[in-house]
Amino acid sequence: MNNPFAILSLIIIIPFIGMLFVLTAKESPENKTHNSSDVAIFSVLANLLMIWRVFMLIDETKLKLQLFEKFDWLPIPDINLVFAVDNLSLLMILAIHIVILIGIVFSRSEITRQKPLMVLTLLFLSMTTGFFVAADIFSFFIFFEAMLLPLFMMIGMFGEFKRLERLSGFLLYNLTGALVLFAAVLLLYKSYGSLTLDRSDDILWNDNYGGFIWSALAFGFISRIPIWPFHHWISSVSSKIRNPLVFIASSILPLSGIYGLLRFWPQTIPPQISEYFIWINIIGTVTMLFISLISFIHKDPQYKIFAFITVCYIMYLLGIFSGDPLILQNICYALFGFLLVFGSLEAVSAYIYHQERLQESTSEGFLCRAKRLSLIYSFLTFAAAGFPVSAIFTNNFLILSQLLSVNIQLGTVLMLSCIIAAAALIGEMFRLKTDSKECSLGKDNDLPYPQFIFMMFVCFILLMSFIRPLWFVIDE
């Protein structure tokens, strides 16, 4: 290994150690203690410091994997655990830790069953971090599937829906994608051995197995992205979850599909595969338009956020299909801002829903009286709508421009879908800002100062990412 401190292994282990401490923490719902969430917050903050240190150790100007760590696993067949990072994987790890931290902070009001929620959250964070630092095909596949177990349990325990029906769909789609992806991994191992991800360009996609391997990889990754027909299990799960932390975790899962496509995207697409791209583009744009139109007329704020997430994920998927290296790089930076925006917007929306449920009152006009909440909610809504306040603005603009230049008809529908989804979010903001005598929520229900200061810091990160994506990196 060329990383003597095994720091990448450490950022996988820290959330797992935090999970063990949470298991020993004592909770008392009667006294409203938050020991489990306090331990979880400390674990995430400790890992954020380690992630910042990793940024100091890598050369951010080099677009290649760095800080390799290799651990022997099986001698026959020769299978090892290999970890490494670059700007893309580190940005994703950083964003995921921040949005999980946001979810934990805004889930502290849920006293009941807080310990199992924090245990599963930290386990999910550990497995997700392992996925993004995995640098060879077997490590990549192991963590790709490992993150499903804690998420499956989180949705089953804290999702507010007909659990058996929804969980069956969740399991069916992901198990099918896993089996197909595993077949591709085995063929890659047979042809190239324990292939590291920085050598994915060496794969001969036009050989005897090339077409099948690429198709299997693409199916395994796309099965996690909310595009028809895979959008069904994602929409049936995400749109019904009221716990912000569980919703954020479930919305992170499609990111693994986008990241997998970015890692394995070949420089030359097999000819027998490229002819199907037009159909994927059509299906993607129709899915976007359909879901955005539903969000525009749907009264549930949760569905509007889900529609925004879906539209962005599909737009990034179609951007990957363009194959333009500049667009691929812009997708990487856009994902960072996107994760922070949707996670923060979900957290404050869940806070409004919680206050609405406690007071048994409508939330219409709530923002007229809650000034702190109004400021945060308005900023996040404008960021999600594409205003120049975060990295989403520049990067999404470049992605849409590229897609319009490739196919103006599909690009126009895609842009229209983004506008409709943004209009749905802005419409919800105006509903909350239109005063109503039926609303009994007032300034006493406003966002508490600790959460307000925390969210102001998140907004500051979004503004700085618009100015310079890696503004926090100090050159040594």
Side-chain angles (χ1 to χ4, degrees), residues 96-117:
I96 289 170
H97 275 73
I98 294 175
V99 296
I100 289 294
L101 181 60
I102 293 169
I104 294 173
V105 169
F106 279 84
S107 297
R108 282 166 60 86
S109 58
E110 299 290 340
I111 301 297
T112 58
R113 298 188 297 170
Q114 190 178 96
K115 179 182 284 190
L117 178 60

Side-chain angles (χ1 to χ4, degrees), residues 189-211:
Y189 181 80
K190 177 183 178 181
S191 302
Y192 301 95
S194 187
L195 183 74
T196 54
L197 301 188
D198 60 340
R199 290 178 48 220
S200 60
D201 290 340
D202 297 340
I203 300 174
L204 299 178
W205 298 105
N206 292 318
D207 64 6
N208 294 333
Y209 301 111

